[in-house]
Amino acid sequence: MTDQAYNFAYLDEQTKRMIRRAILKGVAVPGYQVPFASREMPMPYGWGTGGVQVTSACLMPEDCLKVIDQGADDTTNAVSIRKFFQRTAGVQVTEATAEASVIQTRHRIPETPLREGQILVYQVPIPEPLRFLEPRETETRKMHELEEYGLMHVKLYEDIARHGQIATSYAYPVKVEGRYVMDPSPIPKFDNPKLSDNAALQLFGAGREQRIYALPPYTQVVSLDFDDHPFEAGKAPHDCDLCGAGESYLDEVIVDDAGGRMFVCSDTDFCASRQAVGHRGRLSPEEV
Amino acid sequence: MYVAVKGGERAIDNAHAWLAEERRGDPGVAELSVDQIREQLRLAVNRVMAEGSLYDPDLAALAIKQARGDLIEAVFLIRAYRTTLPRLGHSRPVDSAAMACIRRISATFKDAPGGQVLGPTFDYTHRLLDFKLLAEGAVPAAPASAATPGPVPHITGFLNRDGMIETDAPDETTPPDLTREPMELPASRQLRLQALTRGDEGFVLSMAYSTQRGYGRTHAFVGELRIGTVAVEMDIPELGFAVEIGEVELTECETVNQFKGSKSEPPQFTRGYGLVFGQSERKAIAMSLVDRALRWKELGEDFNGAPAQDEEFVLMHADNIQATGFLEHIKLPHYVDFQAELELVRRMRAEAMQMQEAAE
Amino acid sequence: MTPEALTGGFADAPVQAARAFRAALDALSRPGVIHTVAGATPPAPLSVAAGVLLLTLADATTPVHLAGDHDCPALRDWITFHTGAPLVDAPSAAFAIGRWGALAPLSRFAIGTPDYPDRSATLIVEVDDLSATGAHLAGPGIKDHAHLSLPEVAAFRANRALFPQGCDFYLTCADRLAGLPRSTIVEAC
């Protein structure tokens, strides 16, 4: 049931070619931000236009698409983007990570390990990891060229001096194959280890900032740290209250006026799959 | 018992239905037609065409209707539509010296060949609410006279004759296209002008105003402001000549700015330039001031740290579609990142308290 | 322009180009993996796979260089008609096509600049044999190591030494293709 007024997957062929060429350059130079002539999309800049353009350029009719926001398939923006591709590309959609061939995400990497042949497309708001240290593109481009990343280390070290630890909990910068410092998009640093040596192809699209970058499968990605302050992937020190998982990233949900709270998996597919095979957490409903 | 929020899809559908109802307003009041918007809210239509970078008054009027009068939302609708259109070719540069002017004024000369034409301007209206407009009624016809035939030369051309103003050398190179190539910095003047003409009117206005108040002052005079229609011509390779494919209404502003001269140049005036779709004179004047402020480097002037002189700052923040999207995206859920921050702050507090206890 | 130039393009471009791109993307993302593609029937000497790559990636904004025997009227017409790509000399090319010997020396092609390494050429190398044997490959996209039948090793090692600048490659043979990005570390086996 595709919308015939628009081309397959919405974008015109010329635009798709331009994006596809940028994606290939990104794959060839992992972690380097390739400028591309981002188009206005029918959703606002900042709402995933970069990811949508990358997904649009990648989709083929045989694909099965999953869209998540905050790890969940049913958040409003995920629903909206999924609907957009159902309408314009007519592709099959799924909530199951394992079934999807293309996954578009905002802020999370699924808990279920990805496999070869899958593509994970990230929506990126600010692709430049050095942007908050140096607002000028002309300067940061030079810094990448010269591998001049001292500023980033100084920032992280100032954190340690002031707070006793690195005070960056998401969008935690990484170094790719020992060359480019890269922004992994605002995923919690809990997800950073999954960036490295991942079997899937990871593509990053920043629409407003007109940048595409990529991590081919099995690319080596290291979270920046110091010998005396090694990187730690943090999460809430609890198990999921619904499925009992101890190793998944958790959302904290306030459940009553008294400040009562529970912790549940942010990855809704992961949590539901575990519950479906009988895993239970502290607050799971009684079996009927 | 906690149940994860579901039903995003139904919530979205319902919100859209409610929005449609609100857009229509009281069904007891006659519906606004696109023709009415195009004819009677023409300046809004012009702004949507200018910032949407698409010259189509009907579509701009439709966008305004659909957007409930939110002009930035209307610009967004036009941009999103524009981007799906195939690029069939490009026109020749329009000749603004051959403009059929409805308005043409110069602040630098009392009179000039071609004359001063006030045209349909708010300038000397007294801003008193006209309560007669509460009722519908015919408007008496404005006095008319035959158009003065002949070209209307640019005022700055007169200054150019005796070398009093810088000459813009003709440039035959194909300019870059902001809508088809990523922004590259430092930007050429062509690219800067493209960004300014589709930039947000409020942003460009404020930048221009800041130069007048001393943040990158350029001592601007309005050499000429003209509004009118120009022919759009396109080369047809099969024919071997250009044919007129239509006409567009434009506002053009050229400022004359002070310049002391440099080692290589004798003292002469310099220019700022503004060109905008439709009757959009506030935008065109503002654009010419900001254009001039951004030219400090090529004119060998000092960078005073003024925002309007800062090319990267101006160009990266002028687009209201980019700005509004990114601004409003903070409405989207960010709870995963917030959770990461919560855990970090909890841990840091725990460590701080431990250290405090240890010290006591 | 010969009538043959008008045929042999995609019959359903949006869908065929989408499938072809995914093959090209996977090939470049996983050096050593060989994909079979379809949809183009270009005039000789261009292979089906090279034709598919051109239809998928080239257009009026990407100058194409034809090297050696590939620089023939039938192919020039076909590319012009189907892609609109300007045909240029080696240094200005975004894409270059030819047999390995005709493309050499690689130093003729754009390798990007230190600040914009993406402004480089992609070379489509027509080969007689294409298999996952021969040269030893390692680097991004490769779990442990892979093999690919490359026409030589030294040129690819020299290209890798330019990283992040350098050229990227597709090897094409009939309807099959493999990718070799500049990031791959190539060693003789």
Side-chain angles (χ1 to χ4, degrees), chain A residues 10 37 39-40 45-47 70 74 83 106 136-138 165 169 186 208 210 236 249 252 261-262, chain B residues 2 5 13 79 83-84 180 183 310 312 325-326 329 333-337 339-341 343 346-347:
Chain A
Y10 183 73
R39 302 290 196 248
E40 277 96 357
Y45 284 119
W47 298 53
Q70 313 296 301
D74 56 358
K83 241 177 140 172
R106 177 169 171 265
R136 280 172 204 285
E137 164 68 15
T138 37
Q165 54 189 297
S169 59
R208 192 178 39 77
Q210 307 190 310
Y249 191 76
E252 179 172 337
R261 64 195 71 198
M262 65 185 289
Chain B
Y2 168 76
V5 185
D13 288 343
R79 290 268 193 96
T83 193
T84 65
R180 310 298 279 190
M183 171 87 76
D310 186 332
E312 189 161 344
F326 198 53
H329 107 282
H334 282 77
Y335 57 78
V336 160
D337 292 344
Q339 186 65 39
E341 293 279 78
E343 292 305 326
R346 277 186 188 132
R347 217 169 69 195

Side-chain angles (χ1 to χ4, degrees), chain B residues 212-283:
Chain B
Q212 291 183 292
R213 290 196 64 260
Y215 290 84
R217 188 155 180 231
T218 63
H219 309 269
F221 298 100
V222 172
E224 182 176 352
L225 174 76
R226 55 169 65 194
I227 303 173
T229 49
V230 295
V232 179
E233 294 181 332
M234 194 169 154
D235 282 316
I236 310 292
E238 288 80 358
L239 297 178
F241 54 87
V243 295
E244 187 177 326
I245 53 171
E247 56 181 29
V248 295
E249 187 182 41
L250 296 175
T251 303
E252 182 185 53
C253 178
E254 278 195 287
T255 56
V256 177
N257 304 66
Q258 199 181 52
F259 177 52
K260 290 194 181 69
S262 68
K263 279 179 198 138
S264 57
E265 298 284 332
Q268 61 177 178
F269 292 107
T270 55
R271 301 167 192 256
Y273 188 70
L275 184 72
V276 187
F277 276 151
Q279 181 171 354
S280 308
E281 64 185 74
R282 178 188 303 121
K283 173 78 171 284

Side-chain angles (χ1 to χ4, degrees), chain B residues 34-53:
Chain B
V34 168
D35 290 351
Q36 287 170 334
I37 295 170
R38 187 194 61 230
E39 294 304 316
Q40 297 172 40
L41 297 178
R42 191 178 290 183
L43 299 187
V45 167
N46 285 342
R47 181 171 175 189
V48 170
M49 293 197 300
E51 293 170 25
S53 300

